[in-house]
């Protein structure tokens, strides 16, 4: 268990800085982009392409991209644009491109950028087609007022709060796999054949937290040991773009059909681009492989500690609201329950829940995305609850 605890902290130190950076980017995009920019430009087929182009150079890994992607969704981007951004961004980044070129050559690095572009656009277009989200982008009037710094900070914090439970689960699973997965798992792929190596790379990399930059030296070392370079492509596409926490957060925010599109696009796309690289560039020799062992810096430990404190606060706050709601219900009778139309993701339900909780007289409020209901307890009328729902941009029924 000592090794497991150490690996939990190691995953946190690798994840936390990027997650916090993603929340910061979400806050900055929310406050600095012109009002209505996201809603106007990040919808439809062209909007998906723009979102992918916005994300490719950003240095965000799989967990860090989630708050930024949810922020785009909250600001009016279509589901397809947000998912295209979430799919493409973790695979690349300026830092990842340069490191990939250094260890595995420029053909590999540029092929990975092309793969991120194609899989991001494909996942976004298919998401809009499957969910019909493009047709449901809100047309409500845009508030012309710029958010204050405090509102920008609240927005960034909310993006993490939506997914904190899945983050805890994902960190524990990733640490468990790191602790108890055989150390020679990747090395054994070098003798398994191309397709078997691809399948093994997927099975190992999809649930784990893999940083697009820090994992490049690992992939290069495996290639140097004999693993097909295409399998390294699979590892560096599917790994950075997925992990248990990311998949759970996408499911929470966008629904089951969208997470199926997201995962299928990455699996099929990584295998296809891995095979394509083997066919076109497989004969190219790989330069010298450098060793790599990551030792967290003081600021990474600090970011991990801050994230742990934030998740503990979110958990206690949620527990307090639940207990307060149960006490209020028993003391004041049945709560007010209102049907709500127009919620399309976890961000919508979280935003409405925050509006209801902050209303005068409300002691507890919860919103059920699947059941399309809002449940409010306190000194408030049914008519006032409906006004708040309408004011938040949804339709009370």
């Amino acid at each position: 268990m000592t090794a497991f605890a150490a690996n939990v902290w190691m995953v946190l130190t690798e994840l936390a800085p990027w997650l916090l950076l993603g929340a910061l980017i979400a806050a900055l995009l929310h406050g600095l982009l012109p009002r209505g920019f996201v809603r106007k430009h990040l919808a439809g087929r062209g909007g998906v392409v723009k979102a992918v182009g916005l994300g490719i150079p950003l240095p965000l890994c799989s967990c860090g991209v989630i708050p930024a992607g949810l922020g785009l969704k909250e600001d009016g981007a279509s589901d397809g644009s947000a998912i295209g951004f979430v799919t493409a961004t973790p695979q690349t980044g300026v830092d990842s491109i340069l490191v990939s070129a250094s260890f595995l050559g420029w053909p590999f690095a540029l092929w990975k950028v092309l793969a991120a572009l194609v899989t991001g656009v494909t996942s976004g277009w298919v998401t809009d087609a499957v969910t019909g989200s493009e047709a449901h982008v809100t047309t409500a009037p845009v508030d012309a007022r710029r958010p204050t710094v405090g509102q920008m900070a609240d927005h960034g914090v909310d993006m993490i709060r939506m997914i904190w439970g899945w983050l805890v689960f994902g960190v524990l699973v990733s640490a468990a796999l790191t602790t108890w997965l055989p150390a020679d798992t990747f090395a054994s792929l070098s003798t398994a054949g191309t397709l078997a190596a691809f399948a093994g790379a997927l099975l190992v990399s999809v649930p784990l937290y893999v940083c697009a930059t820090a994992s490049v030296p690992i992939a290069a070392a495996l290639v140097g040991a004999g693993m097909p370079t295409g399998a390294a492509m699979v590892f560096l596409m599917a790994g950075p773009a997925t992990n248990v926490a990311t998949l759970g957060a996408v499911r929470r925010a966008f629904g089951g059909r969208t997470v199926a599109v997201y995962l299928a696009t990455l699996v099929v796309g990584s295998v296809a681009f891995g095979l394509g690289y083997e066919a076109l560039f497989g004969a190219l020799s790989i330069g010298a492989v450098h060793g790599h062992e990551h030792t967290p810096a003081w600021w990474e430990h600090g970011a991990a500690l801050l994230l742990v404190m934030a998740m503990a606060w979110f958990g206690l706050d949620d527990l307090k609201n639940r207990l307060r709601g149960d006490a209020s219900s028993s003391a004041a009778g049945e709560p007010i329950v209102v049907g709500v139309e127009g919620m399309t993701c976890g961000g919508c339900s979280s935003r409405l829940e925050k509006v209801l909780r902050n209303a005068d007289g409300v002691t507890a409020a919860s919103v059920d995305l699947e059941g399309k209901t809002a449940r409010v307890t306190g000194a408030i009328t049914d008519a006032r609850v409906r006004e708040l729902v309408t004011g938040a941009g949804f339709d009370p029924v």
Side-chain angles (χ1 to χ4, degrees):
M1 291 305 294
T2 301
F4 173 70
N7 283 323
V8 167
W9 186 254
M10 183 62 68
V11 172
L12 283 169
T13 59
E14 293 179 346
L15 177 152
W18 304 108
L19 184 70
L20 298 177
L21 177 61
L24 175 62
I25 290 175
L28 292 175
L29 291 175
H30 178 66
L32 300 180
L33 287 178
R35 298 295 83 193
F37 176 89
V38 172
R39 188 181 304 177
K40 179 179 178 181
H41 292 279
L42 299 187
R45 287 180 172 266
V48 171
V49 176
K50 292 176 183 177
V52 170
L54 174 67
I56 282 179
L58 294 179
L60 290 175
C61 288
S62 51
C63 283
V65 76
I66 289 295
L70 291 179
L72 292 177
K73 169 68 176 174
E74 283 289 281
D75 285 340
S78 67
D79 281 4
S81 295
I83 287 296
F85 178 88
V86 169
T87 301
T89 304
Q91 299 180 50
T92 57
V94 174
D95 55 343
S96 174
I97 295 168
L98 295 175
V99 172
S100 296
S102 174
F103 280 88
L104 294 164
W106 276 107
F108 187 95
L110 295 177
W111 189 256
K112 195 153 73 82
V113 173
L114 177 63
L117 174 63
V118 172
T119 53
V121 171
T122 300
S123 66
W125 285 353
V126 174
T127 294
D128 278 340
V130 169
T131 65
S133 62
E134 180 185 345
H136 293 92
V137 176
T138 178
T139 57
V142 176
D143 187 351
R145 295 172 296 178
R146 288 276 188 179
T148 64
V149 173
Q151 290 171 331
M152 291 167 61
D154 287 343
H155 183 80
V157 171
D158 284 345
M159 296 306 100
I160 297 179
R161 182 165 195 156
M162 286 184 209
I163 59 172
W164 76 268
W166 278 107
L167 287 174
V168 172
F169 179 69
V171 167
L172 295 177
V173 171
S174 183
L177 291 173
T178 302
T179 304
W180 292 294
L181 198 68
D184 61 348
T185 299
F186 283 123
S188 64
L189 298 178
S190 62
T191 61
T194 300
L195 290 180
F198 283 20
L202 283 172
L203 288 174
V204 173
S205 63
V206 166
L208 285 171
Y209 174 77
V210 176
C211 176
T213 301
S215 57
V216 169
I218 300 172
L222 294 172
V223 170
M227 189 176 76
T229 311
M233 178 68 66
V234 173
F235 176 71
L236 292 175
M237 284 181 63
T242 62
N243 62 53
V244 175
T246 303
L247 294 174
V250 172
R251 170 68 178 83
R252 163 82 168 81
F254 296 93
R257 286 186 296 176
T258 298
V259 78
V261 171
Y262 170 71
L263 184 58
T265 302
L266 284 167
V267 169
V268 174
S270 63
V271 171
F273 274 91
L275 291 172
Y277 185 85
E278 282 291 312
L280 294 175
F281 307 106
L284 294 178
S285 60
I286 302 298
V289 177
H290 308 284
H292 174 78
E293 184 176 347
H294 178 68
T295 301
W298 66 267
W299 54 269
E300 292 174 302
H301 287 292
L305 180 61
L306 179 61
L307 180 60
V308 169
M309 292 171 61
M311 291 191 296
W313 179 63
F314 295 150
L316 290 174
D317 192 49
D318 287 349
L319 178 62
K320 180 183 68 176
N321 285 324
R322 188 175 294 110
L323 294 175
R324 186 171 60 181
D326 292 342
S328 299
S329 296
S330 60
E334 290 297 318
I336 297 171
V337 180
V338 175
V340 181
E341 292 291 342
M343 296 188 297
T344 59
C345 68
C348 296
S349 60
S350 295
R351 175 158 53 88
L352 177 57
E353 190 170 284
K354 184 177 181 180
V355 168
L356 294 174
R357 283 180 177 176
N358 290 336
D360 292 339
V362 172
T363 55
S366 61
V367 177
D368 181 0
L369 176 62
E370 298 295 333
K372 297 182 178 181
T373 58
R375 187 182 187 91
V376 182
T377 303
I380 191 170
T381 65
D382 180 88
R384 178 55 181 157
V385 171
R386 292 174 180 273
E387 288 179 4
L388 292 169
V389 170
T390 301
F394 306 105
D395 298 320
V397 294

